[in-house]
Every structure is written in C-alpha cells, then in structure tokens.
Amino acid sequence: MNNTSGRLADRRRRIESLRRGERSTGEHIVVVGMDIAGSWQRSREAVSETCSAAPLDDTAPDWTGSAYGQALVACVDELETVAIESGMVAAVSDADGRLLWTGCSRNMRTRAERVHFVPGGRWDERSVGTNALALALRHRRPASVFSAEHFIPAVQDWVCYAAPVRDTISGEVMGVVDLSTTWNRHSPLALHAVERFAERVSQALQGVSQAPVLRLRMLGTPQASIHGKVLPLSPRQMEILCLLALHPEGMDLERLHAAIYGDRTVGVATLKTEVSQLRERLGGAIGSRPYRLLVNWQADFMDLEQALNAGRVEAALAGYRGGFLPRTESPLLRTWRDCLESRLSDAIFRIDDPDLLLAHLGQSPEAVDAVERLVELLPGDHPVRARLLQTRDSQR
C-alpha cells in the first residue's frame, strides 16, 4: 500500500471509529470538522441509518426550458466527458437537491443507479443525510464528503465533491454541481474541478438571455430547439441547419443548392422559400450573402466528430443515439454521414472492452459492427456469443 492509499485508509478508520461511538463528542469536530459533525446531528433526527437509497421524484417537471436548464445543457457535455474519462459520476441538481442530470463512467454507473444517484433522486440533507451536495446547498460554498462521513452506509464507499451554482446577478443559489467516485480515489484537485464547472454554469446562466443557443440533435430522431423549445421544421430545413453548422463561414445560394439537391432539377426559388421560412422560425437567426447562422449553436453530430478526433471512444459511443439524418438525399450530408459512420466503426473495431461494446448495443441494437467485434472478443463458450451470432446472421 502506497503512502496516499495508507493515509486514506487511516482516515477512513478514524471516521468509522467516530461513527461507532468510540470517541468523544469533542473529537468529532477535530476529526471531521464542524460542518460534518453538525450535519450528522441533523441527519440523525431526519433520516434512518437503514436508508439504502435516495427517494425518487417521478413527478419532476421538465427543467430544460428554464434559463438554468438552458445553461446546464450548454455545459453538461463537457462535464460528462470529464466524468467518463476520470472514472467518476457527475451530477447537477436544482436548488432543492433534486438531481436534474447525471453522467457517469462505466465503473460508477451501477453504483449510482443502486443508490438512486440518478435524475429525480433527492439528495438534500433531510432525504439522505450528510453528503457533499447537501452541504454545498446548506452552506452556499464548496464541500467535500469522504467515505464514512456520509450519513447513510450505502454511499460510505464514495467520496463526493460539490459546489453551488449561483445566479451572478441575484446571488441566488440555483443548484449544485457534484463529482463523485470511490473513496480510495480521493484527490483534492477534484474539488477545484467541480468549482470550475459550477462557475462555468453560472457564466452560461448569465449569457442565456443575451445569447440563445440553437441545439441540433440529428443522431437518431432529428430535432432542433432554441430556448428549450422544439422548432417545427421540415426535413429540408433540418438539412439546411446541418449544412450551415458544418460551414460556419457561410454558404452562398448556389453552393447551398448544390449541397442539398446535387444534380436534381429543383429551382433555386424553392430553396429560397425554405430558407425564408426557416429564418422566420429562428427569429431572424440566419444571415444572407452568404447564408450563415447568427446564433450560438451546438450539434450532437459535431460533438461526436470531435470525440473521435480526440480519441475519446467511450464519450463518442455515449453520445451516439442513432444514424445521422438516415433519410437525407443531400449528397454532401450523405457523404459526411458515411465518413462519420466509417470512423465510428473503425473505432469500435479497436475496442478491447466487451462491457463497453455491450453498453453500446444496449442503446443501439442495430450496431452490426459492435456485434462483429464482440464475436471476435468473446470466448467460444461464452453464453452471449451464441446469441450474438444469431443476431449477426439475421442482420445479413
């Protein structure tokens, strides 16, 4: 056992000794500090130590349309990437301690689900006792809770870091950003990271009213939204938005026409009408001469490409929800889609982790390349392999 592991194990033993009543009340404050000691006292009055998971709120309203929700949507992709790459679970709550969003690495997913550290889970102090998210809400400052400092035993193998998100104008605490992992991976740097993300959400919140964000979700079922509201767009208008996102410098009418219709005999007046209607639905957020987006935007297909560029295969698979515009007839978009699918397939065939491939199949059952790779990786007598062979044969 190295020095760091030894110190963490010794710290855990001291805390567990406190919980068993082997030390005086005064020693509680010395070992864990005033915030934890005070929280333990309040928790004993509100929560049973037999509690094994947070209560779930199944009636929570949609939060994505609020200003806070829009700020979160602008930031959580990066937070999820950090969680995946560092073996953690990330979460963002509202001001009541209810989780709105979570993103986690494979090794933390089961742990998080077991204790309801998922959207809808209530992690305020009265619901589950001492935890970092609850302390950050109560004291309006960053907090960390290590191992047995947590009140309920179900999360005493965790270490959690949390920081409040404030409205920079009113000072109101809107919610909390949390990062958690297993206790033996504790690092003081994680608290700095969660503070940085909370500040980023605060900044995004400040800019929401000044700079609306157009969100393009084109992997799987196409959808475009702005200010959290889904736009009623035609398939052609979806294609126009994708092309303008792929060409931020802009496209003139002739180039845009060729990219959409290719050699088909469709008049430019038809395209002009589509762009005019699209501009109206986006509140004038499309410029002309050349056509270009005049609004901040985020696109899942561009996020996928960036993840592949950076070699972040797990993050790429986590963001994949289906093929990119599977019905498009645009020659440029079809070429781009084929290239993206080819790159994703190449990445899949370099994966050596069967669990990662099985998780990908769970959300994309039609992923033939994942089936093929799993057949290569799994031993011949593995019970799943026979079913995969049947699936592969039926897809041919």
Side-chain angles (χ1 to χ4, degrees):
M1 182 180 295
N2 60 39
N3 289 339
T4 300
S5 298
R7 285 195 299 270
L8 292 178
D10 182 60
R11 180 180 175 186
R12 178 171 182 165
R13 284 192 295 269
R14 292 198 308 271
I15 299 168
E16 289 173 337
S17 175
L18 292 179
R19 299 298 297 271
R20 291 192 298 266
E22 297 172 0
R23 296 172 181 258
S24 68
T25 303
E27 287 179 292
H28 281 57
I29 297 174
V30 173
V31 175
V32 298
M34 288 287 292
D35 287 355
I36 298 293
S39 180
W40 283 353
Q41 179 61 42
R42 293 188 298 272
S43 299
R44 279 192 290 269
E45 297 171 358
V47 182
S48 169
E49 288 200 19
T50 61
C51 174
S52 61
L56 282 173
D57 186 352
D58 296 326
T59 62
D62 178 34
W63 53 271
T64 56
S66 67
Y68 180 49
Q70 292 173 48
L72 295 183
V73 172
C75 300
V76 293
D77 286 349
E78 183 181 358
L79 185 56
E80 182 173 39
T81 297
V82 169
I84 291 173
E85 293 182 346
S86 59
M88 306 182 86
V89 54
V92 184
S93 81
D94 62 14
D96 296 321
R98 179 180 56 209
L99 300 191
L100 303 177
W101 171 93
T102 61
C104 58
S105 61
R106 187 176 64 258
N107 64 303
M108 287 296 293
R109 184 173 293 113
T110 301
R111 293 173 182 267
E113 291 173 351
R114 187 182 300 130
V115 298
H116 295 167
F117 200 77
V118 295
R122 301 196 67 97
W123 285 83
D124 57 288
E125 197 174 71
R126 292 191 61 82
S127 294
V128 290
T130 310
N131 68 88
L133 190 154
L135 289 179
L137 276 178
R138 182 178 183 85
H139 299 293
R140 300 170 56 89
R141 62 174 182 265
S144 66
V145 174
F146 174 79
S147 185
E149 289 178 344
H150 289 92
F151 185 75
I152 63 172
V155 288
Q156 288 178 2
D157 280 335
W158 291 34
V159 58
C160 304
Y161 316 88
V165 176
R166 290 185 176 84
D167 184 321
T168 56
I169 298 175
S170 68
E172 178 185 1
V173 172
M174 307 298 295
V176 170
V177 176
D178 182 285
L179 283 170
S180 301
T181 187
T182 53
W183 69 275
N184 55 336
R185 301 186 64 186
H186 166 63
S187 170
L189 295 177
L191 190 59
H192 295 296
V194 82
E195 289 182 69
R196 179 171 61 86
F197 276 110
E199 177 61 26
R200 187 162 300 176
V201 177
S202 294
Q203 292 172 354
L205 179 60
Q206 183 178 15
V208 162
S209 60
Q210 303 169 353
V213 177
L214 172 66
R215 306 202 178 282
L216 305 178
R217 297 288 180 264
M218 301 296 165
L219 299 175
T221 303
Q223 177 180 292
S225 62
I226 194 164
H227 282 308
K229 296 181 179 180
V230 177
L231 301 171
L233 303 181
S234 69
R236 184 73 68 235
Q237 290 166 347
M238 293 286 196
E239 291 174 345
I240 293 170
L241 286 179
C242 288
L243 287 166
L244 295 182
L246 289 168
H247 298 84
E249 75 284 2
M251 304 178 76
D252 61 29
L253 179 62
E254 291 74 18
R255 188 181 175 198
L256 184 60
H257 186 278
I260 290 179
Y261 299 109
D263 296 331
R264 284 175 289 161
T265 55
V266 178
V268 294
T270 300
L271 178 58
K272 282 185 174 180
T273 299
E274 290 280 10
V275 174
S276 177
Q277 292 174 350
L278 180 59
R279 180 185 288 115
E280 181 178 351
R281 287 173 182 168
L282 264 67
I286 294 180
S288 58
R289 299 182 182 179
Y291 293 128
R292 63 199 185 281
L293 292 174
L294 301 179
V295 65
N296 293 330
W297 55 268
Q298 184 270 332
D300 58 355
F301 56 93
M302 298 294 286
D303 293 341
L304 175 59
E305 183 188 44
Q306 291 169 8
L308 291 172
N309 289 343
R312 296 185 285 106
V313 180
E314 187 170 350
L317 294 183
Y320 186 80
R321 295 293 181 268
F324 171 68
L325 293 181
R327 298 183 179 180
T328 184
E329 296 181 358
S330 160
L332 193 151
L333 291 176
R334 291 174 66 178
T335 299
W336 199 90
R337 178 189 63 207
D338 292 345
C339 179
L340 187 65
E341 295 286 347
S342 177
R343 292 188 62 197
L344 183 62
S345 182
D346 288 344
I348 286 173
F349 276 102
R350 291 195 297 272
I351 293 173
D352 294 321
D353 184 349
D355 289 339
L356 181 56
L357 293 168
L358 287 169
H360 178 53
L361 277 176
Q363 66 181 23
S364 301
E366 73 288 351
V368 179
D369 40 15
V371 172
E372 293 281 2
R373 181 56 176 158
L374 273 168
V375 169
E376 294 177 357
L377 290 175
L378 295 177
D381 59 350
H382 196 285
V384 174
R385 192 174 187 275
R387 293 200 299 272
L388 291 172
L389 287 170
Q390 292 176 353
T391 300
R392 184 188 66 179
D393 294 342
S394 67
Q395 292 173 331
R396 287 179 171 175

